[in-house]
Amino acid sequence: MEPFVIDETLPWSETFRIIGEQWADAEAAASLLEDSRSAVLSQRMAVMGDIAVNKAEMAVKASREWQEHIEKIVAARKHANLLKIRMEFCKMKYHEEQGQEASKRAEMRMI
């Protein structure tokens, strides 16, 4: 899924909601991959048949398939983290705008 492009014409609350939903999906996907790591390892070791566990584990972890699985986990976590940063950006922009509006109101009272 392509990340949501921040549209500054939308209210920051709506932008936060959209990105928050994307982050929740990405976080779930990353967590699922991370949590399934040992199950995937066990399944690939079981396919190797009746060999010593340490040798099967070493063979699986040295395989290109395992490396690709680990790369998918890392990419999924990175995607989730980037979406979380975008959510925090929305919060910060909202608070900045609130502060600027409060400053303008204070200036108007002084005039």
Side-chain angles (χ1 to χ4, degrees):
M1 175 192 301
E2 279 297 310
F4 176 74
V5 176
I6 294 176
D7 178 356
E8 293 195 23
T9 62
L10 291 175
W12 285 112
S13 58
E14 179 63 9
T15 302
F16 184 86
R17 182 194 64 76
I18 292 167
I19 295 172
E21 288 176 359
Q22 288 182 349
W23 172 77
D25 290 342
E27 177 65 23
S31 293
L32 180 63
L33 281 171
E34 289 169 347
D35 292 346
S36 68
R37 194 158 117 177
S38 63
V40 170
L41 177 64
S42 296
Q43 290 168 356
R44 293 191 178 151
M45 287 171 58
V47 170
M48 300 187 90
D50 194 23
I51 65 171
V53 171
N54 62 334
K55 288 184 180 181
E57 182 178 355
M58 185 173 61
V60 170
K61 287 185 175 180
S63 72
R64 184 72 201 138
E65 279 181 325
W66 183 255
Q67 182 64 32
E68 289 170 358
H69 182 68
I70 298 302
E71 288 170 2
K72 284 180 190 173
I73 292 171
V74 171
R77 177 56 53 207
K78 179 181 177 182
H79 179 67
N81 287 340
L82 289 172
L83 285 168
K84 188 168 186 176
I85 289 168
R86 287 175 149 230
M87 283 188 348
E88 292 300 318
F89 171 79
C90 289
K91 273 201 252 185
M92 289 172 30
K93 287 294 281 183
Y94 172 77
H95 290 299
E96 285 174 3
E97 285 183 8
Q98 292 293 88
Q100 289 171 354
E101 288 174 12
S103 295
K104 285 179 188 174
R105 286 191 303 272
E107 285 176 15
M108 294 303 289
R109 283 192 300 260
M110 295 169 71
I111 295 178

